[in-house]
Amino acid sequence: MSIKNHPNAGKLLSSLRNTGYDSNYTAIEDIIDNSIDAGARNVNVAINTVDKDVCIIIADNGSGMSEDVLDQALKLGSATQKDEMSDLGKYGMGLCTASISMAKSLKVITKQANDDYLYSSQDLDEVVEIDEFIKELRKANEEEIALFKDHIKDDHGTIVVLSKTDRLTNTNPTIFANNLAKDMGRIYRKFIEAGIVISVNI
């Protein structure tokens, strides 16, 4: 007889936090890959300190996500369909593994054109506390919509907010931003030459 064999959520997350990325910059660029796949022409990374916590926001004016896609985006081993020939992020674990590699809190606010603002979040402390993979998924509230509009002027797009960043190699936001900008300039040179604007703290 076969039975369900759910993983120990807390221990699995602790293990995953130690695998997959050789630097914080690579993890952020994995999230930017998703933005480019979504057709974004503008991607901005904002790095600042809030109450001694370095907060990282990746904002793009891509197509945004439907509720079903957002549900999958905050799930390890996402079932979201990818084009293996053209999409940059192919493995269905980019957003979750990128975020947990450097932060305990992940929040996503997204909107498709002429549709509702949607919100989803995951907090590793909560996952560990109850030892279950849990997240929040709902329509965005007024405060979350205002945050979206602060970073995206279009009627569509996505912002990813990483906080409780306990695994940054450099906690000086200015130095971190400068190093990230240099690395992005190298990684995304061809996209930038094609007219996609990818910036840090602008």
Side-chain angles (χ1 to χ4, degrees):
M1 178 180 67
S2 298
I3 61 173
K4 291 184 178 180
N5 189 23
H6 296 297
N8 180 301
K11 289 186 177 180
L12 177 57
L13 278 178
S14 295
S15 298
L16 287 173
R17 298 197 79 192
N18 295 314
T19 60
Y21 294 95
D22 56 9
S23 74
N24 298 146
Y25 310 122
T26 303
I28 292 172
E29 287 157 1
D30 204 7
I31 298 173
I32 294 173
D33 286 351
N34 292 336
S35 298
I36 295 173
D37 285 340
R41 301 299 297 177
N42 288 278
V43 184
N44 181 251
V45 183
I47 302 170
N48 54 73
T49 301
V50 180
D51 296 329
K52 298 182 179 180
D53 178 30
V54 178
C55 180
I56 301 169
I57 298 178
I58 300 100
D60 72 65
N61 69 342
S63 58
M65 288 182 271
S66 66
E67 185 172 355
D68 288 342
V69 172
L70 179 59
D71 180 30
Q72 289 295 326
L74 269 74
K75 185 178 295 184
L76 289 171
S78 164
T80 301
Q81 295 297 313
K82 289 285 188 177
D83 186 334
E84 297 293 329
M85 297 301 294
S86 60
D87 285 356
L88 300 176
K90 299 182 175 65
Y91 304 108
M93 297 181 74
L95 180 56
C96 279
T97 52
S99 67
I100 66 177
S101 71
M102 55 187 160
K104 288 185 176 181
S105 174
L106 166 65
K107 299 174 183 176
V108 179
I109 307 167
T110 190
K111 185 182 187 300
Q112 294 186 313
N114 304 314
D115 209 339
D116 294 323
Y117 292 90
L118 301 174
Y119 171 90
S120 189
S121 66
Q122 177 178 266
D123 189 290
L124 299 192
D125 288 332
E126 293 178 2
V127 172
V128 171
E129 181 179 356
I130 68 170
D131 204 23
E132 291 284 350
F133 288 108
I134 59 171
K135 67 185 175 191
E136 190 171 3
L137 178 64
R138 55 173 170 76
K139 289 184 179 180
N141 61 32
E142 290 184 3
E143 182 179 354
E144 292 150 1
I145 292 172
L147 178 62
F148 181 100
K149 291 181 177 180
D150 281 344
H151 291 272
I152 300 172
K153 304 309 176 186
D154 297 271
D155 182 47
H156 50 83
T158 299
I159 69 170
V160 174
V161 182
L162 305 177
S163 59
K164 298 170 71 172
T165 50
D166 61 334
R167 294 197 172 196
L168 296 184
T169 54
N170 193 316
T171 56
N172 182 308
T174 301
I175 296 174
F176 190 98
N178 288 340
N179 290 340
L180 176 62
K182 292 177 183 177
D183 203 57
M184 292 194 314
R186 176 179 60 85
I187 295 295
Y188 297 109
R189 176 174 51 84
K190 292 183 178 179
F191 294 97
I192 293 169
E193 290 174 351
I196 297 177
V197 178
I198 304 174
S199 56
V200 181
N201 284 359
I202 294 178

